[in-house]
């Protein structure tokens, strides 16, 4: 099957909220779900853009500002010590979430985008030369394309792209065909945000390692749906965003292998990342602080820790079965809507349904759905080259989370029938 398996029992960090997955009980934890949009209850299907937050995350963030509001790492007073302890505890939760070997290899960043930029600018840019190649895939988010274009422009290296097939998959053959001794860096999405395709990440890492490339994985859409084990994957770098795993915006994590991080020069300088500064020379702080210049998103990191607690406390196989059930139900229901074309029909997918409706522009679809309380995303989903591949400018995208129900899908389908009536 795929690399995305249900979370293991051993990864639990707090008592389980449920043993059998009880979606109504879980929904009660998310205050934003319980509101009306006009006369309609909110049906939130924009989870690939950002997930809603459970009360425990909201409480964790607000308790930082209410009680432990201080800058971290350098303060000797109690508030600073408490905030530092909570922030570093959160780092260890993130380490466990990724099964990273150490907290030194677990770097807090603003999100996936900043994680990839860190790798591009601190690892790749000083090392790549003309004739070298950077391999990505055709389904990447712009944040896993543009940083590599910047590196290519600065170094003379070439950006090489592994194509997707009509189902929205990157086959092993298509990927392997683009690898050669010239490939120095490989960076690909674990899961596609626009199509939901799960890539065979572990196999791709093996193939890339066989030609000696360094591998970075964009985990933004994988981390919310299944456990990530960076040691099992064998990748060199792995980035994800807090806000997609039910945590705050503006915080994320980059895992990097120690030997690579130690050899890298930071691309951002400032407070906290130094050991000793003189006007002549500066030496770096130890890992991971060397890559964390300036005051970090302290409440965000602590909120992310609470989100990881929440997610990993859910019974893993029951959660996976629930998400699979809603995806299969949604796929079948959308197939039955006349004039609807699904974009992205990969065999292995997470809960993302991208589609077109004949006669209606995706933004019209989104606007009509919003009038009946259904929130979907419309547009190119920051994947313009992928849209070009399918010869379309945009799609409407319904993306699911752990609190999504079959009833949400029914509301979506009812809204789509309304779209049909208005535009056919
Ligand atoms: N990669 C993928 C696959 C994404 O879906 C996203 C966000 O949608 C990103 C990267 C960028 O994440 P962020 O904006 O949180 O840095």
């Amino acid at each position: 099957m795929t690399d995305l398996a249900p979370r293991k029992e051993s990864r639990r960090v707090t008592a389980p909220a449920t043993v059998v997955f009880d979606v109504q009980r879980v929904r009660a934890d998310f205050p934003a779900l319980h509101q009306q949009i006009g006369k309609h209850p909110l049906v939130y299907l924009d989870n690939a853009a950002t997930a809603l937050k459970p009360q425990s995350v909201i409480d964790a963030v607000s308790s930082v500002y209410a009680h432990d509001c201080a800058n971290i790492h350098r303060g000797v007073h109690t508030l600073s010590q408490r905030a530092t302890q909570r922030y570093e505890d959160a780092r260890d939760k993130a380490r466990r979430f990724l099964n990273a070997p150490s907290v030194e290899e677990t770097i807090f960043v603003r999100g996936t985008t900043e994680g990839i930029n860190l790798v591009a600018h601190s690892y790749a840019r000083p090392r790549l030369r003309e004739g070298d190649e950077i391999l990505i895939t055709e389904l990447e988010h712009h944040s896993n394309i543009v940083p590599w274009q910047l590196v290519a422009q600065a170094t003379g290296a070439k950006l090489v792209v592994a194509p997707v097939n009509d189902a929205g998959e990157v086959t092993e053959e298509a990927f392997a065909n683009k690898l050669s001794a010239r490939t120095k860096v490989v960076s690909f999405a674990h899961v596609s945000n626009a199509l939901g395709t799960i890539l065979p990440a572990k196999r791709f890492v093996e193939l890339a390692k066989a030609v000696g490339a360094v591998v970075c994985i964009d985990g933004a859409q994988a981390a919310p749906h299944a456990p990530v084990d960076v040691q099992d994957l064998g990748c060199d770098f792995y980035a994800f965003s807090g806000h997609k795993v039910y945590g705050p915006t503006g915080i994320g994590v980059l895992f990097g292998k120690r030997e690579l991080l130690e050899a890298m020069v930071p691309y951002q300088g400032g407070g906290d990342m130094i050991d000793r500064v003189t006007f002549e020379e500066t030496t770096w702080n130890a890992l991971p602080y060397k890559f964390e210049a300036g005051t970090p998103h302290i409440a965000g990191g602590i909120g992310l820790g609470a989100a990881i607690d929440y997610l990993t406390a859910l019974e893993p196989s029951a959660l996976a079965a629930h998400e699979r059930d809603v995806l299969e139900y949604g796929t079948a229901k959308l197939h039955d809507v006349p004039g609807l074309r699904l974009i992205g029909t990969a065999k292995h997918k997470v809960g993302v349904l991208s589609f077109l409706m004949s006669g209606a522009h995706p933004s019209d679809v989104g606007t009509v759905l919003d009038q009946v309380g259904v929130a979907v995303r419309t547009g190119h989903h920051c994947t313009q080259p992928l849209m070009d591949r399918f010869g379309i400018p945009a799609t409407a995208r319904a993306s699911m989370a752990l609190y999504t129900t079959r009833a949400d899908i029914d509301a979506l389908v009812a809204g789509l029938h309304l779209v049909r009536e208005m535009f056919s």
Side-chain angles (χ1 to χ4, degrees), residues 47-50 110-116 139-144 188-194 218-222 239-244 249-252 381-383 397:
N47 295 285
T50 202
R110 275 194 297 125
T112 308
T113 304
E114 193 180 53
I116 296 171
L139 55 65
E140 301 308 322
H141 189 280
H142 294 164
S143 60
N144 199 26
F188 60 85
H190 200 166
V191 168
S192 155
N193 65 308
D218 168 351
Q221 298 294 339
F240 75 96
S241 300
H243 69 101
K244 312 232 191 226
T249 53
I251 188 79
H381 316 296
C382 297
T383 58
R397 180 189 69 184

Side-chain angles (χ1 to χ4, degrees), residues 104-123:
E104 288 81 11
E105 294 161 294
T106 309
I107 301 165
F108 276 130
V109 286
R110 275 194 297 125
T112 308
T113 304
E114 193 180 53
I116 296 171
N117 273 279
L118 197 165
V119 179
H121 293 287
S122 280
Y123 177 79

Side-chain angles (χ1 to χ4, degrees), residues 181-388:
R182 292 184 298 280
T183 316
K184 297 294 183 260
V185 173
V186 172
S187 192
F188 60 85
H190 200 166
V191 168
S192 155
N193 65 308
L195 309 178
T197 312
I198 302 169
L199 276 71
K202 189 171 174 179
R203 180 67 186 136
F204 281 10
V205 173
E206 273 168 17
L207 291 166
K209 288 279 158 196
V211 300
V214 157
V215 184
C216 173
I217 300 181
D218 168 351
Q221 298 294 339
H225 296 290
V228 174
D229 185 334
V230 293
Q231 297 188 65
D232 184 54
L233 286 168
C235 58
D236 298 290
F237 299 101
Y238 194 101
F240 75 96
S241 300
H243 69 101
K244 312 232 191 226
V245 295
Y246 312 98
T249 53
I251 188 79
V253 173
L254 175 72
F255 158 76
K257 277 193 184 151
R258 184 189 295 269
E259 60 272 23
L260 296 177
L261 294 175
E262 276 174 350
M264 286 158 56
V265 174
Y267 81 118
Q268 290 180 10
D272 223 20
M273 51 76 72
I274 53 86
D275 171 37
R276 169 104 183 98
V277 179
T278 65
F279 287 120
E280 289 70 39
E281 192 195 21
T282 292
T283 51
W284 315 131
N285 199 346
L287 291 174
Y289 310 113
K290 171 176 145 181
F291 293 105
E292 296 180 354
T295 300
H297 188 3
I298 301 163
I302 292 166
L304 174 56
I308 290 172
D309 281 348
Y310 186 87
L311 185 52
T312 53
L314 297 168
E315 207 288 315
S317 56
L319 171 58
H322 169 75
E323 290 197 358
R324 207 166 38 247
D325 172 71
V326 180
L327 171 62
E328 283 168 10
Y329 182 78
T331 307
K333 284 280 174 187
L334 260 54
H335 266 302
D336 291 343
V337 177
L340 186 145
R341 177 182 157 211
L342 264 183
I343 307 289
T345 49
K347 203 159 159 225
H348 301 301
K349 279 185 69 167
V350 302
V352 170
L353 294 167
S354 250
F355 57 90
L356 297 170
M357 294 280 290
S358 64
H361 189 277
S363 64
D364 294 329
V365 175
T367 305
V368 174
L369 289 175
D370 183 56
Q371 281 162 14
V372 291
V374 179
V376 298
R377 177 126 317 217
T378 60
H380 52 62
H381 316 296
C382 297
T383 58
Q384 283 178 340
L386 182 65
M387 297 291 118
D388 292 345

Side-chain angles (χ1 to χ4, degrees), residues 59-65 67-69 72 80-93 108 298 301-303 305-306:
D59 290 346
V61 171
S62 80
S63 78
V64 175
Y65 293 118
H67 300 290
D68 299 335
C69 188
I72 56 170
S80 176
Q81 305 242 326
R82 284 206 307 245
T84 302
Q85 186 64 51
R86 292 180 71 186
Y87 191 70
E88 293 304 328
D89 286 350
R91 189 192 304 278
D92 193 51
K93 290 173 188 180
F108 276 130
I298 301 163
I302 292 166

